[in-house]
Amino acid sequence: MATRTLVVGGTGGIGYAIASRLAAESSSSTVIISGRNKPQDIPHANMEFRPLDASSMRAIKDYTTAYKATKSPALDYLVLSQGIGTMAGRTETAEGIDNKMALHYYGKQLLIRELLP
């Protein structure tokens, strides 16, 4: 069955592993991986990279607006694995949001809301 999946945080770690596994399961499926940096290796032809800084609400809005403007088919799956591991205290983004909260909560909620039909 051909599916369309977006994996945010899919450029490394567990997100990359999930994206690679989903792409390997079905060559007719499309897996979009998004993150700040393009991975050195994209192992499957049905995987594509789209840059996204998931800690920026403006970048998320621009990303989702551009995605919807392409008239791409609806997503079947949305995997949100973006995150940061740090013991630092509050570190603000340019938008004045704590970086950890932007990645772990606000960005995920905004992606879900903006990508709903």
Side-chain angles (χ1 to χ4, degrees):
M1 180 172 97
T3 60
R4 188 167 185 83
T5 304
L6 171 60
V7 182
V8 180
T11 59
I14 190 130
Y16 182 76
I18 291 169
S20 296
R21 181 64 184 259
L22 289 170
E25 290 291 318
S26 173
S27 60
S28 62
S29 296
T30 301
V31 179
I32 303 164
I33 56 174
S34 292
R36 288 178 298 197
N37 304 310
K38 185 175 182 176
Q40 292 179 350
D41 180 36
I42 298 181
H44 302 283
N46 58 336
M47 290 174 75
E48 64 180 80
F49 171 75
R50 294 187 186 184
L52 172 63
D53 178 1
S55 67
S56 167
M57 301 308 112
R58 172 55 39 210
I60 290 171
K61 286 286 280 181
D62 292 345
Y63 179 92
T64 55
T65 299
Y67 181 84
K68 291 186 281 189
T70 64
K71 304 291 186 212
S72 296
L75 293 170
D76 296 299
Y77 301 103
L78 177 61
V79 179
L80 301 172
S81 67
Q82 72 268 32
I84 185 172
T86 180
M87 296 299 284
R90 181 179 174 89
T91 51
E92 289 190 1
T93 65
E95 297 165 318
I97 303 169
D98 178 55
N99 194 40
K100 292 178 289 302
M101 289 297 292
L103 283 168
H104 296 162
Y105 181 73
Y106 297 118
K108 290 178 180 182
Q109 296 301 316
L110 185 58
L111 278 159
I112 292 166
R113 187 184 79 200
E114 292 298 315
L115 290 172
L116 282 172

